[in-house]
Amino acid sequence: MNGLLSVWPQGWTRQQRSTATIAVSAAVLVLFLWLVATPLAWLPEPIGPAAQEFAEGARITVGLTLVAGLAGVVLGVFAALAKLAPFAPLRWGAELYIWVIRGTPLLVQVLFVFLALPMLLPGVQLSDFNSAAAALAVNVGAYNAEALRAGILAVPKGQTEAARSLGLSPTQTFIHIVFPQSFKIALPPLVNNVVALLKDSSLAYVIGVVELTNVGNRVQAATFEPVPVFMATACIYLILTTVLTQISGAIEHRLDIEQRS
């Protein structure tokens, strides 16, 4: 589904439709996070009295997603480059990182960063939010690395050879020729990873981060009314994922390498 992309005038270019969709979706997200407590306060117990808590939990969830998502993209780029490096130890390190992270549950990784990492590295003391953000970033970074690696390998070698024949250095060739194309190729799985990250951030509740799921769990524990509480929680998640999907879809549409429309 194109969502907002399909409502703009047909005469608009792909860039114009994408830019408008991103702007409107971002504005909706900001307004929703700012004003969500108002409609929630109109609802009967147990939702109404906890409206501010749900609103703050939603803001923390989005903040956690954005921080971990951006860091995960950076980690993914470095891991992808390391996995393709000719230097064997660097390549083995990247393969080990991706193998371990993709082969273990995210819940275990969150608990490891929060509980075990300070014991292994006594000088490292992270807050519950930073611990969750670090674990989520490391997790999504491993998946991003595979998507980016596939994108890099999908760029025709002839373009690299042509760039080198024109006098570009390997670094210039990668920055100006290979990476822009590989990033566009890898964009669909990257945006899917970010949307999934919003839902995965719910695991941060196990270390005390007061995000949306934690708020819902606290309210239902205090009121013993799980049905309305978790229905409200699910609706907030649904709205957040829908808006984020619109933004990510517009970015993908704007950078569409096939120039479909």
Side-chain angles (χ1 to χ4, degrees), residues 43-113:
L43 298 177
E45 294 185 356
I47 307 302
Q52 289 295 338
E53 296 176 50
F54 278 106
E56 184 61 26
R59 287 190 281 268
I60 292 176
T61 291
V62 172
L64 192 58
T65 301
L66 294 177
V67 171
L70 291 174
V73 170
V74 175
L75 283 174
V77 171
F78 283 111
L81 293 177
K83 193 168 182 180
L84 295 172
F87 185 55
L90 188 61
R91 188 170 64 251
W92 295 338
E95 291 174 350
L96 178 64
Y97 158 63
I98 294 171
W99 173 63
V100 169
I101 295 301
R102 293 183 57 159
T104 55
L106 175 56
L107 178 59
V108 174
Q109 296 165 20
V110 172
L111 292 172
F112 180 87
V113 172

Side-chain angles (χ1 to χ4, degrees), residues 162-251:
R164 297 299 303 278
S165 68
L166 292 174
L168 273 68
S169 67
T171 301
Q172 291 173 322
T173 300
F174 178 78
I175 293 175
H176 299 293
I177 305 298
V178 176
F179 184 72
Q181 296 182 74
S182 63
F183 188 80
K184 291 179 181 180
I185 294 170
L187 192 58
L190 289 179
V191 297
N192 287 337
N193 288 345
V194 173
V195 173
L197 185 63
L198 176 66
K199 294 174 286 185
D200 290 341
S201 67
S202 62
L203 292 177
Y205 89 94
V206 300
I207 60 173
V209 179
V210 190
E211 44 71 60
L212 187 55
T213 299
N214 196 337
V215 170
N217 191 49
R218 291 183 178 189
V219 173
Q220 75 84 24
T223 62
F224 300 101
E225 295 188 54
V227 175
V229 169
F230 289 121
M231 285 185 63
T233 303
C235 287
I236 295 174
Y237 271 116
L238 184 59
I239 293 171
L240 293 177
T241 54
T242 299
V243 174
L244 191 59
T245 300
Q246 291 295 317
I247 295 174
S248 59
I251 295 173

